[in-house]
Amino acid sequence: MKHILLFSSFLFSALFGSAQNIHKSIHQLQSEEYSKYNFTTEQQWDELRAKKNEMAVKKISTVQSNCILNKRVFGWNPYWAGSAYNNYQWNLLSDLCHFSYEVDATTGNAISTHGWSTDAAVTAAKSNGTKIHLCATLFSNHATFLTSSSAMNTFISNIISLLNSRGANGVNIDFEAVPSAQSANLTAFFQNLCNQVHAANPSYEVSVALPAVDWSTVYDIPNLKNYIDIFIIMGYDYYYSGSTTAGPSDPLYNFETSYNYTLTKSITYYLNKGVPNGKLLLGLPYYGEEWPTTALTIPSSTTGSGSSRTFTVVKTNANGYYSNPKFDANSYSVYYAFNNGTDRQLFINSQYSMEKRFDIVNEFGIGGIGIWALSYDDGYLDYWNAIQNKFSNCTVVNCTDTIFDMGGPNRNYYSNENYTYTIAPANATSVSLAFSSFNSEATNDYLKIYDGPSTASPLIGTYSGTASPGTINSSGSSLTLQWFSNASTVSSGWYATWNCTADNIPPTTQVSVPNNWVTQNFTAAFTDADNMNGSGIQKSFYSVSDNNGTEWRANDTRGFFNDNFNQASIHPDWKPYQGIWAINSGVLEQSDENNGNTNIAAALTQNLSNRYLYHWQGKISGSGTNRRAGFHFFCDNDSLPNRGNSYFVWFRVDQNQCQFYKVVNDVFTLENTVPMTVAAGTFYDYKVIYDRINGKMEMYQNNNFLGSWTDPSPYANGSYVSFRSGNSNWQVDDFEVFRSRNSSVTVTVGAASTNDIRYQSPNPATPAGNIKSICYDNAGNLSAISSQTVLVDWTPPSSVAVNDGTSSDIDTTYSNTQLDANWTSSSDPNSGIANYWYAIGISAGDTSVVGWTNNASNTSVTKTGLSLTYGQIYYFSVKAEDGAGLFSSITSSDGQLVLNPNGVNELNNMETISIYPNPSSGQFTVYSLQFPVQIQVYNMLGEKIYSSIVNSKLETVNLSAANGIYFLKLKSESGEKILKLIVE
């Protein structure tokens, strides 16, 4: 519970402020101590460290993790560290700074660089990808140096030369106890230094070591912030060897009520002065201070000067006095109180208290930490574990913690606090924040709480005075707090505990289509669902592939790709440029292990959706020691060595790393490295998600999130994808590309090359289309892939030929209750024939007598129970229906005339009458042995179009009629005869 305390700094300023101007910092003290030794080898320094119990009992390098930093970790490496660099966890150290170039104030030359050009620690840092810097120290005679342009220019020239000679990354300036009278000269020096160093190499960085308290306002931050690249607060010596009270070298919060200078106050001060958050690092001590004291209770007065103790000394505990650590809840500091003949107290961080300091770095959102000094924890992993737990992608955020203003749990907050902090535990679905106390200056000091990951999220409320927020519940997975205090009254502030609900359950997705057979464009609907307490669906994706009768493919112009590599040879979609690529046992394989950059590429349109998901299985093997392989996407030139402009993800077997690269004008840059397990000879499932709008790419292995990188200037278009390997055997299988989607999409169907599904089912049992779906939630959980195949047929079946009667075509029938017809079979290779339909009418295509009737698979029909009219011609019409529901064109018979069966014998006498030629052009001859004969011609509609009398044996008829089928009715005294007449 926080209590209201009086704010007072006068006493400290009086007692400590003057001492600040004369006491020596830990940097200076230790530099002077070790300069007494004229050692030149690691072995000599190691022997000295061993005598002081500051050397590791055993090496720990073999237990280095694969975690990757997300904050800067800048460590000073003193020249007296000897071989301790062999125990550095290089993946958790972003910058190593060699200590030091001792400046000769008169000339600017180095009194000594302490082996910069040959230092093995610098060499090891470079080989492990850690940036290297050279620290320059000046602890006195500042006026001499800062008023000599010759000395300053010599120094700058020397520094640039030394950086160039080592291929270094920057220079660190550690000028301490600079008098206030030299403030302007110091600013001018920094500006000149930065200008010349940056001109020599724009990638060189200039960093400065800042005092924990800038008592005399020597550092003109507003004028320096645009020049200096890194500002490192020396966050120690708040209680130093000459302090009259024993206390923590780096109090996180107030240790004493009368002295409120702390780490949190120092950060607040420099941020308020204008140092950009990203440029500010908090230096922290890997040592502690031990004093003789008047008592074992805290706080106690000192009875003599303090002495520093490294973390290694305390952990090794050779004297046995560092066995019972105690914790000061006010300053969040660990201390030991013991008696070795006199009362003594030692303050030094444990892993827990160091992690709490790292938490403050995260809460303020500053760039990272500095370490004084590397090697002081030699042989122990505690602090390395703290870095991993708080500043890497291996961070595990607990689902509960406490949070308070920068006065800590029991002290008043400070004037001019202004910071923003987001509570966003991994996989959280909701966050609750319960306040146990709240007290601020009414109106002027206030806390804003936002429902989401930033101050752009909806504002829940603004709280001031004693109006406590109570308990706040988020609607999503995060809450953001923004705290402000002005320059006047301070109070006890606020104290809260937050808890979260985590989501580790994958969402689900389903695909549905109208039916199994599709004949045209259709709508595919998707159902995505997260679990009851889930974090909600973040994004959903779909793909469409089609079966060309041999294999499943996808239309790359539509943004999809599918290749199962199950054919004997590589599909023409792929272009092998470099390497030996072939299909081997159903996978794509690149087998040339001597080639450092192989390339097989394919065209793919990548601007049709906001996000793309690339999915494949991959296996890296080979006999080398630098085996790597990966995948390019959003390429604009597939033939160039690095694919023009593109991105690629890169898997390193021998380093167990996944790397994100961006390629600009065919020059690649490593943007982020994350750890992964990638065993040689093992297939893994890989998924890469890229958002072409915000530039974020996310990498998954076996559905486990590996890491991400966001491009601030993202590529919005891509024309190719490409697989790549280096000095390895690289096997790839089941490659497919998904596009982001809404809850439903239109899938286009047809033979045109622009459609999603371009092929029909080769037979009624084989699908020609496959729609897949995948989604992931806000906690990063990926669903399983769901799919739905469709049978495709957009071609109607073939038409049939229809005959009247039961076999050969007839022209007449004598039943007025029954009609017969038969027809040829239809065919449809895609969906097969499902049904035949027939209808009967008094003209071709007419359905007035019998409407369309399903005749199943039968190709003949006898229709009974009719009531037909004698002398009327009746027509059968038939259409075929395929398995997809498509119908053939309608064909009709040439009709059959229903005659009265009376006079059948008379008709036989009509055999002596005939016509020829038939077919004819319309002119034909009537031959008759009896006459007169009446001639009548009817069209297919039953309309009479010609009539005449034949009075001779041979009579020529000229019929003016269109091509088609007609009926000729001949009538004599013997009876009537109907003949079919064809005009063509």
Side-chain angles (χ1 to χ4, degrees), residues 710-963:
T710 300
D711 184 1
S713 301
Y715 291 138
N717 297 284
S719 301
Y720 303 94
V721 291
S722 169
F723 285 102
R724 169 178 182 162
S725 64
N727 304 114
S728 70
N729 181 294
W730 179 218
Q731 292 185 325
V732 175
D733 198 10
D734 297 330
F735 175 60
E736 55 189 339
V737 178
F738 294 75
R739 290 168 44 190
S740 58
R741 59 164 172 81
N742 293 318
S743 59
S744 64
V745 298
T746 298
V747 179
T748 59
V749 175
S753 61
T754 56
N755 287 318
D756 296 326
I757 299 177
R758 301 159 294 175
Y759 308 105
Q760 302 179 85
S761 294
N763 56 65
T766 303
N770 191 11
I771 300 90
K772 293 184 178 181
S773 175
I774 186 173
C775 64
Y776 70 134
D777 61 23
N778 288 304
N781 300 305
L782 282 161
S783 74
I785 295 175
S786 174
S787 65
Q788 177 64 62
T789 58
V790 289
L791 297 159
V792 181
D793 183 4
W794 61 72
T795 305
S798 63
S799 57
V800 301
V802 185
N803 296 317
D804 293 306
T806 57
S807 57
S808 299
D809 185 60
I810 64 171
D811 296 322
T812 59
T813 184
Y814 300 96
S815 172
N816 68 343
T817 62
Q818 174 180 312
L819 290 174
D820 300 290
N822 67 91
W823 50 86
T824 58
S825 297
S826 176
S827 64
D828 189 308
N830 309 118
S831 59
I833 301 301
N835 297 294
Y836 293 100
W837 296 75
Y838 73 90
I840 304 174
I842 58 175
S843 62
D846 179 42
T847 61
S848 61
V849 177
V850 176
W852 285 110
T853 303
N854 191 334
N855 202 46
S857 59
N858 300 309
T859 57
S860 64
V861 63
T862 296
K863 181 62 178 176
T864 60
L866 302 174
S867 180
L868 306 175
T869 301
Y870 290 121
Q872 177 66 53
I873 301 173
Y874 293 92
Y875 302 84
F876 273 90
S877 295
V878 178
K879 60 184 177 181
E881 179 188 9
D882 64 17
L886 297 173
F887 289 90
S888 69
S889 59
I890 298 171
T891 55
S892 300
S893 68
D894 58 10
Q896 49 187 300
L897 180 65
V898 178
L899 297 176
N900 192 320
N902 295 332
V904 171
N905 292 330
E906 294 177 346
L907 285 176
N908 292 334
N909 295 326
M910 296 293 290
E911 295 299 327
T912 59
I913 302 175
S914 62
I915 61 172
Y916 62 89
N918 189 17
S920 72
S921 63
Q923 185 181 70
F924 56 90
T925 298
V926 178
Y927 170 80
S928 177
L929 296 179
Q930 51 179 305
F931 41 82
V933 176
Q934 184 181 24
I935 301 174
Q936 295 176 338
V937 180
Y938 295 86
N939 62 19
M940 293 290 287
L941 299 177
E943 299 169 334
K944 184 167 66 176
I945 63 172
Y946 178 86
S947 179
S948 69
I949 301 295
V950 176
N951 291 303
S952 60
K953 186 176 181 180
L954 296 171
E955 182 78 18
T956 300
V957 175
N958 289 298
L959 182 65
S960 179
N963 293 349

Side-chain angles (χ1 to χ4, degrees), residues 37 45 67 75 77 299 397 468 492 494 534 546 558 630 646 811 814 880 940 984:
Y37 303 96
W45 291 118
C67 302
N77 190 68
V397 180
S468 172
S492 59
W494 48 272
D546 51 10
R558 294 286 297 147
S646 73
D811 296 322
Y814 300 96
M940 293 290 287
E984 61 182 17

Side-chain angles (χ1 to χ4, degrees), residues 251-434:
L252 188 56
Y253 309 111
N254 289 37
F255 177 63
E256 301 176 84
T257 58
S258 60
Y259 168 32
N260 69 346
Y261 287 91
T262 63
L263 292 173
T264 51
K265 188 170 185 179
S266 294
I267 297 172
T268 300
Y269 171 83
Y270 283 111
L271 290 177
N272 287 333
K273 283 293 183 181
V275 177
N277 288 58
K279 286 187 174 185
L280 187 63
L281 308 185
L282 176 63
L284 291 166
Y286 275 29
Y287 70 94
E289 201 75 31
E290 180 181 321
W291 296 267
T293 57
T294 57
L296 296 180
T297 57
I298 59 169
S300 288
S301 297
T302 62
T303 60
S305 296
S307 300
S308 62
R309 301 284 186 264
T310 66
F311 185 77
T312 295
V313 168
V314 175
K315 283 288 286 187
T316 303
N317 194 18
N319 60 22
Y321 295 123
Y322 310 131
S323 302
N324 298 303
K326 296 178 171 56
F327 186 75
D328 174 44
N330 292 320
S331 63
Y332 267 53
S333 300
V334 173
Y335 69 98
Y336 297 85
F338 57 92
N339 187 288
N340 66 348
T342 183
D343 289 343
R344 300 185 70 86
Q345 292 181 15
L346 164 69
F347 287 79
I348 191 169
N349 282 311
S350 65
Q351 178 177 329
Y352 171 80
S353 63
M354 187 64 83
E355 287 185 353
K356 287 303 178 181
R357 283 145 178 80
F358 293 173
D359 283 339
I360 291 299
V361 170
N362 288 325
E363 287 184 30
F364 273 111
I366 61 176
I369 63 167
I371 297 170
W372 182 265
L374 293 172
S375 79
Y376 286 4
D377 62 338
D378 188 28
Y380 297 95
L381 288 170
D382 303 53
Y383 289 169
W384 293 116
N385 289 338
I387 292 171
Q388 177 176 298
N389 291 344
K390 298 298 181 179
F391 298 145
S392 82
N393 62 335
C394 296
T395 298
V396 177
V397 180
N398 294 326
C399 225
T400 183
D401 204 350
T402 55
I403 186 170
F404 21 76
D405 60 74
M406 291 307 160
N410 301 315
R411 307 299 196 202
N412 287 0
Y413 57 82
Y414 307 127
S415 298
N416 299 315
E417 288 192 18
N418 185 357
Y419 70 93
T420 299
Y421 179 61
T422 296
I423 303 170
N427 297 323
T429 58
S430 63
V431 177
S432 66
L433 182 63

